C-alpha cells in the first residue's frame, strides 16, 4: 500500500513514480469485455493487419488512459482525489511493448482550503509520447491553510 502523499511534501518539478506496464492480449481481452469494446483491431491480428493496415492488434486507448490515471492515483494515496484529468491518444501501442506512465508537477495552490496540484502527464513507449495530458489532484494538508 502506498503511503499517503501530502500537499506540503510536493514541489513543482517533482516527478511522480513511473508505472511501467507490458500489456498482454489477455489483459486486452478482459478490458474489451469490461468496456463492451468489440472492435476487431484489439483481438484479431489478421483483421488489424490486412483490413485496417496496422502492424499488429492495438492496445485500447482507454486502457492506456486507465493505466495513466492509475499512476496518478497510486501516487496520491487513499486520501487524495483526482480532480481533473484530460489526455489525448496520439499514437498506437501494441501488446508486448513496454509502456511507461507518469508525470511531473507543474504548479500547486490552495483554493477554498484544498491543496491542489497540477501536473503534465503522459504515457510513452521509449522516446515516443503516446498519450500527453494534464491533471489536477487534491491532496490533504498536514497543516490546513484557512
Amino acid at each position: 500500500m502506498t503511503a499517503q502523499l501530502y500537499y506540503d511534501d510536493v514541489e513543482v518539478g517533482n516527478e511522480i513514480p513511473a508505472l511501467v506496464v507490458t500489456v498482454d492480449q489477455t489483459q486486452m481481452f478482459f478490458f474489451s469485455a469490461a468496456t463492451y469494446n468489440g472492435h476487431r483491431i484489439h483481438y484479431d491480428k489478421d483483421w488489424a493487419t490486412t483490413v485496417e493496415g496496422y502492424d499488429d492488434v492495438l492496445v485500447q486507448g482507454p486502457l492506456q488512459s486507465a493505466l495513466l490515471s492509475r499512476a496518478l492515483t497510486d501516487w496520491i494515496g487513499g486520501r487524495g482525489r483526482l480532480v481533473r484529468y484530460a489526455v489525448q491518444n496520439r499514437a498506437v501501442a501494441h501488446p508486448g511493448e513496454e509502456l511507461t506512465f507518469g508525470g511531473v508537477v507543474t504548479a500547486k495552490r490552495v483554493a477554498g482550503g484544498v491543496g491542489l496540484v497540477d501536473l503534465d502527464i503522459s504515457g510513452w513507449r521509449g522516446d515516443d509520447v503516446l498519450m500527453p495530458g494534464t491533471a489536477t489532484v487534491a491532496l490533504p494538508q498536514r497543516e490546513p491553510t484557512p
Side-chain angles (χ1 to χ4, degrees):
M1 183 170 195
T2 304
Q4 180 58 55
L5 181 68
Y6 289 89
Y7 175 81
D8 314 67
D9 300 330
V10 175
E11 299 298 332
V12 171
N14 288 162
E15 292 185 12
I16 72 171
L19 173 65
V20 180
V21 177
T22 301
V23 176
D24 63 24
Q25 289 187 328
T26 300
Q27 183 178 17
M28 292 170 53
F29 169 80
F30 283 116
F31 191 84
S32 282
T35 59
Y36 299 101
N37 181 349
H39 197 308
R40 292 172 72 173
I41 61 172
H42 301 303
Y43 66 88
D44 184 339
K45 184 173 182 170
D46 187 51
W47 177 272
T49 58
T50 60
V51 177
E52 300 281 348
Y54 293 107
D55 295 332
D56 197 349
V57 294
L58 305 181
V59 176
Q60 301 91 330
L63 174 54
Q64 293 177 59
S65 180
L67 291 166
L68 182 51
S69 66
R70 178 180 150 200
L72 284 168
T73 57
D74 285 354
W75 177 64
I76 63 177
R79 292 181 50 213
R81 280 186 306 118
L82 182 56
V83 175
R84 188 180 57 78
Y85 179 84
V87 295
Q88 297 176 351
N89 190 2
R90 291 196 181 163
V92 299
H94 302 287
E97 296 177 332
E98 184 176 89
L99 306 177
T100 305
F101 302 92
V104 63
V105 175
T106 58
K108 60 184 275 189
R109 64 195 179 286
V110 176
V114 177
L116 299 173
V117 177
D118 298 322
L119 302 105
D120 282 340
I121 56 174
S122 60
W124 63 95
R125 174 190 56 241
D127 292 331
D128 296 328
V129 175
L130 307 176
M131 183 169 281
T134 57
T136 301
V137 298
L139 295 173
Q141 299 175 65
R142 290 186 192 279
E143 298 181 24
T145 304

